[in-house]
PDB file of all heavy atoms in Angstrom:
ATOM      1  N   CYS A  30     116.667 126.165 104.186  1.00 97.00           N
ATOM      2  CA  CYS A  30     115.866 125.963 105.305  1.00 97.00           C
ATOM      3  C   CYS A  30     114.633 125.095 104.981  1.00 97.00           C
ATOM      4  O   CYS A  30     113.789 125.557 104.213  1.00 97.00           O
ATOM      5  CB  CYS A  30     115.480 127.253 106.048  1.00 97.00           C
ATOM      6  SG  CYS A  30     114.462 127.016 107.587  1.00 97.00           S
ATOM      7  N   GLY A  31     114.440 123.863 105.480  1.00 98.00           N
ATOM      8  CA  GLY A  31     113.290 123.062 105.116  1.00 98.00           C
ATOM      9  C   GLY A  31     113.317 122.560 103.682  1.00 98.00           C
ATOM     10  O   GLY A  31     112.373 122.415 103.111  1.00 98.00           O
ATOM     11  N   ILE A  32     114.555 122.160 103.146  1.00 98.00           N
ATOM     12  CA  ILE A  32     114.616 121.605 101.844  1.00 98.00           C
ATOM     13  C   ILE A  32     114.493 120.153 101.883  1.00 98.00           C
ATOM     14  O   ILE A  32     115.085 119.450 102.833  1.00 98.00           O
ATOM     15  CB  ILE A  32     115.775 122.085 100.952  1.00 98.00           C
ATOM     16  CG1 ILE A  32     117.086 121.781 101.788  1.00 98.00           C
ATOM     17  CG2 ILE A  32     115.754 123.500 100.759  1.00 98.00           C
ATOM     18  CD1 ILE A  32     118.339 121.923 100.932  1.00 98.00           C
ATOM     19  N   PRO A  33     113.883 119.491 100.874  1.00 98.00           N
ATOM     20  CA  PRO A  33     113.840 117.989 100.782  1.00 98.00           C
ATOM     21  C   PRO A  33     115.137 117.390 100.442  1.00 98.00           C
ATOM     22  O   PRO A  33     115.303 116.979  99.308  1.00 98.00           O
ATOM     23  CB  PRO A  33     112.682 117.753  99.921  1.00 98.00           C
ATOM     24  CG  PRO A  33     112.705 118.881  99.124  1.00 98.00           C
ATOM     25  CD  PRO A  33     113.067 120.087  99.861  1.00 98.00           C
ATOM     26  N   GLU A  34     116.062 117.247 101.298  1.00 97.00           N
ATOM     27  CA  GLU A  34     117.461 116.832 100.998  1.00 97.00           C
ATOM     28  C   GLU A  34     117.623 115.431 100.407  1.00 97.00           C
ATOM     29  O   GLU A  34     118.280 115.251  99.357  1.00 97.00           O
ATOM     30  CB  GLU A  34     118.315 116.794 102.236  1.00 97.00           C
ATOM     31  CG  GLU A  34     118.488 118.212 102.983  1.00 97.00           C
ATOM     32  CD  GLU A  34     119.312 118.018 104.219  1.00 97.00           C
ATOM     33  OE1 GLU A  34     120.097 117.197 104.359  1.00 97.00           O
ATOM     34  OE2 GLU A  34     119.015 118.841 105.105  1.00 97.00           O
ATOM     35  N   ARG A  35     116.815 114.585 100.954  1.00 98.00           N
ATOM     36  CA  ARG A  35     116.866 113.121 100.568  1.00 98.00           C
ATOM     37  C   ARG A  35     116.426 113.021  99.231  1.00 98.00           C
ATOM     38  O   ARG A  35     116.834 112.274  98.317  1.00 98.00           O
ATOM     39  CB  ARG A  35     116.245 112.175 101.518  1.00 98.00           C
ATOM     40  CG  ARG A  35     116.707 112.188 102.940  1.00 98.00           C
ATOM     41  CD  ARG A  35     117.950 111.471 103.032  1.00 98.00           C
ATOM     42  NE  ARG A  35     118.460 111.832 104.338  1.00 98.00           N
ATOM     43  CZ  ARG A  35     119.469 112.799 104.455  1.00 98.00           C
ATOM     44  NH1 ARG A  35     119.867 113.539 103.505  1.00 98.00           N
ATOM     45  NH2 ARG A  35     119.855 113.121 105.688  1.00 98.00           N
ATOM     46  N   LEU A  36     115.233 113.595  98.937  1.00 98.00           N
ATOM     47  CA  LEU A  36     114.574 113.501  97.640  1.00 98.00           C
ATOM     48  C   LEU A  36     115.384 114.157  96.551  1.00 98.00           C
ATOM     49  O   LEU A  36     115.309 113.645  95.435  1.00 98.00           O
ATOM     50  CB  LEU A  36     113.091 114.081  97.680  1.00 98.00           C
ATOM     51  CG  LEU A  36     112.131 113.247  98.619  1.00 98.00           C
ATOM     52  CD1 LEU A  36     110.910 114.004  99.092  1.00 98.00           C
ATOM     53  CD2 LEU A  36     111.700 111.954  97.845  1.00 98.00           C
ATOM     54  N   ILE A  37     115.998 115.266  96.841  1.00 98.00           N
ATOM     55  CA  ILE A  37     116.814 115.943  95.822  1.00 98.00           C
ATOM     56  C   ILE A  37     118.043 114.926  95.477  1.00 98.00           C
ATOM     57  O   ILE A  37     118.294 114.828  94.354  1.00 98.00           O
ATOM     58  CB  ILE A  37     117.399 117.275  96.344  1.00 98.00           C
ATOM     59  CG1 ILE A  37     116.183 118.257  96.491  1.00 98.00           C
ATOM     60  CG2 ILE A  37     118.517 117.852  95.468  1.00 98.00           C
ATOM     61  CD1 ILE A  37     116.534 119.543  97.183  1.00 98.00           C
ATOM     62  N   ASP A  38     118.641 114.325  96.551  1.00 98.00           N
ATOM     63  CA  ASP A  38     119.637 113.438  96.249  1.00 98.00           C
ATOM     64  C   ASP A  38     119.252 112.221  95.363  1.00 98.00           C
ATOM     65  O   ASP A  38     119.910 111.799  94.436  1.00 98.00           O
ATOM     66  CB  ASP A  38     120.260 112.846  97.622  1.00 98.00           C
ATOM     67  CG  ASP A  38     121.199 113.905  98.352  1.00 98.00           C
ATOM     68  OD1 ASP A  38     121.545 114.824  97.730  1.00 98.00           O
ATOM     69  OD2 ASP A  38     121.318 113.657  99.482  1.00 98.00           O
ATOM     70  N   ALA A  39     118.013 111.825  95.585  1.00 98.00           N
ATOM     71  CA  ALA A  39     117.400 110.741  94.894  1.00 98.00           C
ATOM     72  C   ALA A  39     117.148 111.112  93.324  1.00 98.00           C
ATOM     73  O   ALA A  39     117.385 110.361  92.381  1.00 98.00           O
ATOM     74  CB  ALA A  39     116.187 110.139  95.477  1.00 98.00           C
ATOM     75  N   LEU A  40     116.683 112.398  93.216  1.00 98.00           N
ATOM     76  CA  LEU A  40     116.556 112.842  91.776  1.00 98.00           C
ATOM     77  C   LEU A  40     117.839 112.997  91.117  1.00 98.00           C
ATOM     78  O   LEU A  40     117.854 112.547  89.919  1.00 98.00           O
ATOM     79  CB  LEU A  40     115.852 114.247  91.897  1.00 98.00           C
ATOM     80  CG  LEU A  40     114.432 114.326  92.272  1.00 98.00           C
ATOM     81  CD1 LEU A  40     113.923 115.724  92.367  1.00 98.00           C
ATOM     82  CD2 LEU A  40     113.596 113.660  91.164  1.00 98.00           C
ATOM     83  N   VAL A  41     118.953 113.386  91.749  1.00 98.00           N
ATOM     84  CA  VAL A  41     120.221 113.442  91.090  1.00 98.00           C
ATOM     85  C   VAL A  41     120.616 111.942  90.752  1.00 98.00           C
ATOM     86  O   VAL A  41     121.040 111.762  89.604  1.00 98.00           O
ATOM     87  CB  VAL A  41     121.223 113.954  92.153  1.00 98.00           C
ATOM     88  CG1 VAL A  41     122.755 113.731  91.622  1.00 98.00           C
ATOM     89  CG2 VAL A  41     121.027 115.452  92.508  1.00 98.00           C
TER      90      VAL A  41
END
Side-chain angles (χ1 to χ4, degrees):
Chain A
C30 184
I32 55 170
E34 300 176 29
R35 301 284 165 269
L36 290 161
I37 291 169
D38 286 344
L40 285 173
V41 171

